[in-house]
Amino acid sequence: MTFTDYELAYLKGPRLGRLATTGPAGPQLTALGFSVNEDGTIDIGGPDLSKTQRWRNIAVNPLVSFLVDDMTPDEPGAVKPGWGRGIEIRGVAELLTDHAPPAYGGSWFSNEVIRIHPRRIRSWHLDPGQDQYSRDVA
């Protein structure tokens, strides 16, 4: 499995992440929605996705980083309440055309998807038994 149970549970909560790509003018960071597939890949959709700078960046350099994070809630059982928590996924992005967009997008998303194949995962303050966890997954 690509993600631990704690990481997977976390990724099913927030629905906003940040995709980092590199283009001709340097790095680009974009906040956007995402979904996690059964095989451990991440899908990102959007309206007219293939017309975006992030799509063009990936076409030239498919190495990306995807970050989902927030503040740990101050509640019983939370890991490091009041601290940050999250997961960074470094990997290779695949551009898919004529592909059904993620369900979260509705009918206004184009039939295009950016699919991230994780290669390295780093998570923090998600697992009560381990503050930080970094590993290669491919």
Side-chain angles (χ1 to χ4, degrees):
M1 185 63 177
T2 304
F3 299 105
T4 68
D5 290 341
Y6 290 103
E7 291 166 343
L8 206 50
Y10 179 71
L11 289 172
K12 290 182 179 178
R15 286 302 192 205
L16 186 65
R18 293 168 200 80
L19 177 67
T21 62
T22 304
Q28 179 189 17
L29 187 63
T30 307
L32 28 74
F34 69 95
S35 62
V36 180
N37 299 313
E38 292 292 323
D39 65 356
T41 57
I42 306 284
D43 279 358
I44 296 168
D48 295 324
L49 194 58
S50 64
K51 295 179 182 172
T52 64
Q53 183 63 51
R54 63 186 161 275
W55 186 279
R56 291 189 298 274
N57 290 349
I58 291 167
V60 174
N61 180 358
L63 299 178
V64 299
S65 181
F66 188 66
L67 175 69
V68 179
D69 66 335
D70 66 354
M71 296 302 293
T72 304
D74 191 9
E75 60 188 36
V79 180
K80 302 282 187 182
W83 290 40
R85 65 178 176 176
I87 183 168
E88 178 193 9
I89 302 155
R90 296 179 191 177
V92 177
E94 175 184 14
L95 302 175
L96 302 173
T97 57
D98 293 325
H99 191 282
Y104 66 84
S107 62
W108 59 286
F109 273 23
S110 56
N111 286 335
E112 302 159 326
V113 168
I114 296 171
R115 177 163 292 159
I116 301 171
H117 298 270
R119 298 294 183 254
R120 181 154 184 80
I121 295 174
R122 187 174 76 85
S123 62
W124 58 98
H125 302 153
L126 301 179
D127 180 345
Q130 192 167 7
D131 274 352
Q132 295 187 33
Y133 192 38
S134 296
R135 69 208 179 276
D136 294 326
V137 293

